[in-house]
């Protein structure tokens, strides 16, 4: 029997839900709700860390900058720069979300580092590749030292990408983007040989959102389960070439070579109870294999037991969240 899919009596059909993903809800009228997103927080002075933050509006996108006390106490010192890309399935969250803002305050204080948190446009109002484009523009803006904080305090020889979930996906996209890879410069190695100098010092991918048509590790094999894992991605990116689009599956045939990544070192964080953990582990192994025995720098994999996806956002004061932060700080400060 055919379904008429009519609205309940007394409810305007425009108020019917057309798409429901939990973190984002779209109505027939075009109205978009993000029911799980907390109210944004304003920048300023963080009393707990002494970090100063401010927003810079750059047209379609913006960035939130973080300046640690070290920039004041040692003004001549150059600090590493962390370009951070928040998660949220490409459809939710913000650089101003409480969890993201708190993490950047703590990360930039602990390193210490200059932070650049990207506020990119969200789907469905702005379908992908808008978030990719905005993040690439923000990275280029940072590397150009267009802001006085970056120009005065940032060490552009120590620029790191970092992000969680969808933001980690974006970080990979940036690290293999031709505009970033082609900006590598030549320098003299041992024995006078010329070697490519990676444009970025490192990349930290926290619980990266990658997927694919073929299962890896302990991922579900059933086609329906695989399709469910890509459902939100395909909604956010209408022009995607399926779930093996190189932007979602960096290990797919035809994807940019992992050996071309424009960063010296890579760190991947995974969590035991995250359904994406297998994909993160496989990605770390693939990057290490692509770099070979003479790969530049190490590929680190941090697996947190007993925790789920982006657990550190929900339990920021827990011991495991602090341990993960410490590992990231060590990664940033390594020679």
């Amino acid at each position: 029997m055919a379904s008429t899919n009519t609205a309940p009596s007394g409810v305007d059909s425009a108020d019917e839900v057309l798409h429901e993903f939990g973190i984002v809800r779209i109505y027939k009228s075009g109205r978009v709700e993000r029911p799980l997103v907390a109210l944004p927080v304003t920048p300023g002075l963080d009393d707990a860390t002494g970090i100063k933050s401010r927003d810079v509006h750059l047209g379609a996108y913006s960035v939130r900058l973080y300046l640690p006390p070290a920039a004041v106490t040692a003004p001549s010192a150059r600090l590493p720069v962390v370009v951070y890309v928040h998660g949220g399935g490409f459809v939710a969250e913000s650089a101003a979300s409480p969890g993201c803002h708190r993490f950047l305050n703590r990360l930039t204080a602990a390193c210490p580092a200059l932070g650049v948190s990207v506020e990119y446009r969200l789907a469905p109002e702005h379908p992908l590749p808008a978030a990719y484009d905005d993040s690439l523009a923000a990275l280029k803006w940072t590397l150009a030292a267009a802001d006085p904080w970056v120009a005065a305090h940032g060490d552009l020889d120590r620029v790191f990408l970092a992000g969680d979930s969808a933001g980690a996906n974006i970080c990979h996209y940036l690290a293999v983007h031709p505009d970033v890879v082609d900006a590598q410069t030549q320098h003299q190695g041992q024995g006078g040989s010329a070697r490519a100098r990676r444009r970025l010092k490192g990349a930290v991918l926290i619980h990266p959102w990658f997927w694919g048509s073929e299962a890896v590790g302990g991922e579900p094999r059933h086609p329906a389960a695989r399709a469910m894992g890509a459902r939100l991605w395909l909604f956010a990116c209408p022009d995607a070439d399926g779930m093996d689009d190189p932007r979602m599956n960096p290990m797919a045939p035809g994807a940019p070579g992992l050996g071309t990544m424009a960063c010296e070192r890579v760190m991947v964080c995974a969590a035991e109870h995250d359904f994406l953990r297998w994909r993160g582990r496989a990605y770390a192994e693939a990057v290490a294999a692509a770099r070979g025995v003479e790969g530049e720098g190490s590929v680190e994999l941090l697996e947190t037991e007993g925790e789920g996806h982006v657990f550190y956002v929900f339990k920021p004061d827990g011991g495991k969240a602090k341990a993960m932060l410490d590992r990231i700080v060590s990664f940033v400060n390594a020679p």
Side-chain angles (χ1 to χ4, degrees), residues 196-221:
R197 176 183 173 278
R198 305 272 182 172
R199 188 69 177 96
L200 305 172
K201 191 68 175 177
V204 181
L205 280 65
I206 305 171
H207 309 167
W209 186 21
F210 298 135
W211 202 242
S213 60
E214 298 297 326
V216 299
E219 289 180 352
R221 261 89 179 145

Side-chain angles (χ1 to χ4, degrees), residues 82-86 107 160-164 167-168 171 202-206 328:
V82 178
V83 179
Y84 194 86
V85 191
H86 70 82
L107 175 63
F160 292 81
L161 293 172
D164 65 275
C171 287
V204 181
L205 280 65
I206 305 171
I328 295 173

Side-chain angles (χ1 to χ4, degrees), residues 143-158:
L143 293 172
D147 185 87
W149 280 8
V150 180
H153 305 291
D155 183 351
L156 296 182
D157 286 330
R158 291 188 294 160

Side-chain angles (χ1 to χ4, degrees), residues 21-24 33-38 93:
F21 294 98
I23 58 174
V24 66
E33 291 181 350
R34 295 175 171 88
L36 303 180
V37 176
E93 299 300 341

Side-chain angles (χ1 to χ4, degrees), residues 26-52:
I26 300 91
Y27 293 83
K28 282 190 175 181
S29 64
R31 178 164 57 96
V32 178
E33 291 181 350
R34 295 175 171 88
L36 303 180
V37 176
L39 292 175
V41 294
T42 58
L45 176 64
D46 180 60
D47 292 334
T49 61
I51 293 289
K52 294 180 180 178

Side-chain angles (χ1 to χ4, degrees), residues 27 45 104 106 118 128 132 142 147 150-151 153 168 222 232 235-237 246 257 267 271 278 291 311 325 328:
Y27 293 83
L45 176 64
L104 265 293
R106 293 180 176 183
V118 184
L128 292 173
Y132 292 120
T142 302
D147 185 87
V150 180
H153 305 291
H222 195 280
L232 180 56
F235 171 76
C237 190
M267 178 178 182
W278 303 104
R291 294 187 167 214
F311 68 91
L325 178 65
I328 295 173

